Amino acid sequence: MRRITKVVAYIVRDGRVVVFAHGDHDTLALAGLQVPAGTVKPGELPEDAVLREAYEETELPGLRLVRYLGVGEYDARPSVDAVHVRHFYELAVDADEVPERWTAYETGDGAHDPIRFDLSWMPLDQAHVLAFGQGSHLGRLFD
């Protein structure tokens, strides 16, 4: 079984966190509510990867790393024969104005057709509903 290094971004502002759903692809629509996350590229530091992934998936300007929240493992089987080693981070947005709801398109460096992300802000006390165990480190935001 493969071990894949991943990053997960909790972009927090005013007691809320950025979440998204996929709106234009039947299979991805089944994925539920998520936060920005992705794979660390070879030679890339996790703290660089989380900023890259967060921007690629949200297009929010002024993203800033606040702190590292820890690491956890997620067994992705049976959909993928892999364990994801996830590094969780808190991020902030240093922009005067941010939308309440918006759409962004991630292109994967041109490796695939654009994937639509329908984004919004969710109160932190409701974010336990995140898919794929992505909410596992939310409590650490209150430490």
Side-chain angles (χ1 to χ4, degrees), residues 25-91:
H25 189 284
D26 290 340
T27 303
L28 291 177
L30 297 174
L33 281 178
Q34 298 179 50
V35 293
T39 303
V40 178
K41 294 178 179 179
E44 186 177 35
L45 295 173
E47 54 268 23
D48 294 332
V50 74
L51 288 167
R52 175 184 53 76
E53 287 287 349
Y55 180 76
E56 286 176 359
E57 295 181 5
T58 69
E59 299 177 358
L60 285 172
L63 291 171
R64 167 177 59 83
L65 186 65
V66 174
R67 63 184 163 146
Y68 181 67
L69 298 171
V71 64
E73 291 190 355
Y74 180 77
D75 191 334
R77 295 174 298 177
S79 63
V80 178
D81 189 27
V83 168
H84 295 172
V85 179
R86 294 173 165 175
H87 295 273
F88 290 80
Y89 292 88
E90 178 183 358
L91 275 61

Side-chain angles (χ1 to χ4, degrees), residues 77-139:
R77 295 174 298 177
S79 63
V80 178
D81 189 27
V83 168
H84 295 172
V85 179
R86 294 173 165 175
H87 295 273
F88 290 80
Y89 292 88
E90 178 183 358
L91 275 61
V93 182
D94 289 337
D96 292 333
E97 294 183 32
V98 293
E100 284 295 312
R101 299 176 109 27
W102 71 104
T103 300
Y105 292 88
E106 192 268 325
T107 61
D109 297 328
H112 55 71
D113 290 337
I115 299 172
R116 187 173 114 197
F117 290 76
D118 294 327
L119 298 120
S120 62
W121 295 91
M122 172 177 270
L124 283 169
D125 64 356
Q126 296 174 15
H128 63 280
V129 301
L130 292 171
F132 305 112
Q134 288 185 339
S136 67
H137 284 61
L138 283 170

